[in-house]
Amino acid sequence: MQIVRHSEQTLKTALISKNPGLVSQYEKLDPGEQRLMNEAFHPASNLFRPITVHSQSDWITSHPEAPQDFEQFFNDACRKIPSPEKQTIYMQSIGSLGNTRVVSEEYIKWLKGYCEAFFYGLTVKLLEPVSVSATRCSFRVNDHTQNLQIHAGHILKFLKKKKPEDAFCVVGVTMIDLYPRDSWNFVFGQASLTDGVGIFSFARYGQDFYSSHYEGKVKKPRRTSSSDYSIFDNYYVPEITSILLLRSCKTLTHELGHIFGLRHCQWLACLMQGSNHLEEADRRPLNLCPICLRKLQSAVGFNIVERYQALVRWMDDTSTDTRVTPKHSREKSVSLQKPVEAFKECKEWIIKCFAVLQK
């Protein structure tokens, strides 16, 4: 395992800058916020740790990129900034996200709630769910995994056409695997920063996707017409678990971060680190490092304490008024609770942050 360490001065410059205007901007932040962010360049900090590289296949090794500090982010003329006229994140579910309509509706609401807390201060709205056929996208059965896949680029074009006037961005979410072009095996997600649209799949985040008994394989691969979407009737949807929800929230907020102009983080362990594979994505924390947190705060304008309080409320709120009858079951309906067990570590981390913020 390799540890990527930066000097205290390097991290301090990446966070605060040497530009007098940006230094002044930083010094005007709430003292507690400065205290928390300064943890970035404290070697003994137990809140923000260095990046660890576990293999040559990890992102930071296999995809060399120039790091982006706060000053570079702030001065990026191409990044999009929410405005009073365009400050809404729209979410579009494509196909079913659960094995019943009610489960599917609850799942997208959970994701919406998490986004509202993560991008605190912005509005998040749900568009009416659509079927795969409504997008008129190309699709295929993957030759290696034998699961259904839809064309990510075609979905982006569909979302661009549907983008409301007041939208900062529109993100599509689906439980169907994606591919960007015929020569690629798959892609977790794809976004157009120029158009402010993205599509992300959680298909490979189910616990059994990579197992030999994965139920999503098309049993008898068949040639279909490019306009025959009946192959998606009753397609396999992974069981909704706490791990699946955690992975979904990570992917959604990471990719939305890119739409806000945040590039892959190479400073500290951070949600915005790139990931090449599921194991690496699981190692990535749910939180932003101070450098990326300052970037997002600059773009959105939230109070850090209020944002963390909103995230804790989302993790604590497992209640629901929805009662669901299990599929293929004669049992009485049961209450569907948000599975947040996997978020325990993140909640404990936020509580430690409160201690620094409110010292």
Side-chain angles (χ1 to χ4, degrees), residues 83 99 101 108 112 154 156 187 194 295 315 351 356:
S83 66
N99 58 11
R101 179 184 59 80
I108 192 73
K112 172 183 179 287
H154 295 174
L156 293 181
V187 68
T194 305
K295 293 175 186 177
M315 294 173 196
I351 291 170
V356 176

Side-chain angles (χ1 to χ4, degrees), residues 87 115-124 300-303 307 310:
Q87 60 172 344
C115 276
E116 285 174 330
F118 193 92
F119 300 99
Y120 188 74
L122 296 186
T123 303
V124 183
V300 178
F302 50 71
N303 173 283
R307 175 178 177 271

Side-chain angles (χ1 to χ4, degrees), residues 120-295:
Y120 188 74
L122 296 186
T123 303
V124 183
K125 294 181 180 179
L126 300 179
L127 295 171
E128 283 296 315
V130 298
S131 63
V132 177
S133 61
T135 70
R136 311 313 297 171
C137 68
S138 295
F139 59 90
R140 72 181 186 187
V141 175
N142 185 291
D143 289 337
H144 306 287
T145 52
Q146 298 300 317
N147 63 303
L148 285 167
Q149 295 183 303
I150 53 180
H151 194 289
H154 295 174
I155 300 292
L156 293 181
K157 290 179 181 177
F158 168 78
L159 294 175
K160 183 181 177 181
K161 290 178 182 177
K162 284 198 66 177
K163 189 176 180 182
E165 283 295 318
D166 65 339
F168 171 70
C169 64
V170 180
V171 290
V173 294
T174 184
M175 287 292 183
I176 305 169
D177 207 22
L178 301 171
Y179 72 103
R181 56 180 67 96
D182 291 343
S183 59
W184 280 50
N185 184 27
F186 79 98
V187 68
F188 284 118
Q190 190 172 340
S192 168
L193 308 191
T194 305
D195 296 326
V197 293
I199 173 66
F200 318 115
S201 168
F202 309 136
R204 293 177 181 248
Y205 292 160
Q207 293 180 323
D208 63 343
F209 186 89
Y210 293 98
S211 70
S212 57
H213 59 271
Y214 175 61
E215 294 180 34
K217 293 180 180 178
V218 178
K219 300 295 188 295
K220 294 180 180 178
R222 55 190 174 92
R223 297 184 66 85
T224 60
S225 162
S226 60
S227 59
D228 180 10
Y229 292 92
S230 63
I231 193 171
F232 290 95
D233 293 346
N234 301 313
Y235 67 85
Y236 177 72
V237 176
E239 178 188 0
I240 302 301
T241 65
S242 186
I243 294 295
L244 178 63
L245 182 58
L246 176 73
R247 289 168 172 170
S248 300
C249 288
K250 271 189 185 182
T251 295
L252 187 57
T253 49
H254 172 100
E255 298 298 345
L256 275 167
H258 286 318
I259 294 178
F260 280 86
L262 281 74
R263 296 185 204 154
H264 284 131
C265 182
Q266 300 186 54
W267 304 112
L268 295 160
C270 177
L271 173 78
M272 292 308 298
Q273 284 174 247
S275 62
N276 249 1
H277 45 82
L278 187 57
E279 180 187 347
E280 185 179 18
D282 282 344
R283 289 198 305 267
R284 186 173 60 189
L286 197 58
N287 58 278
L288 296 169
C289 76
I291 297 162
C292 292
L293 180 62
R294 188 184 178 196
K295 293 175 186 177

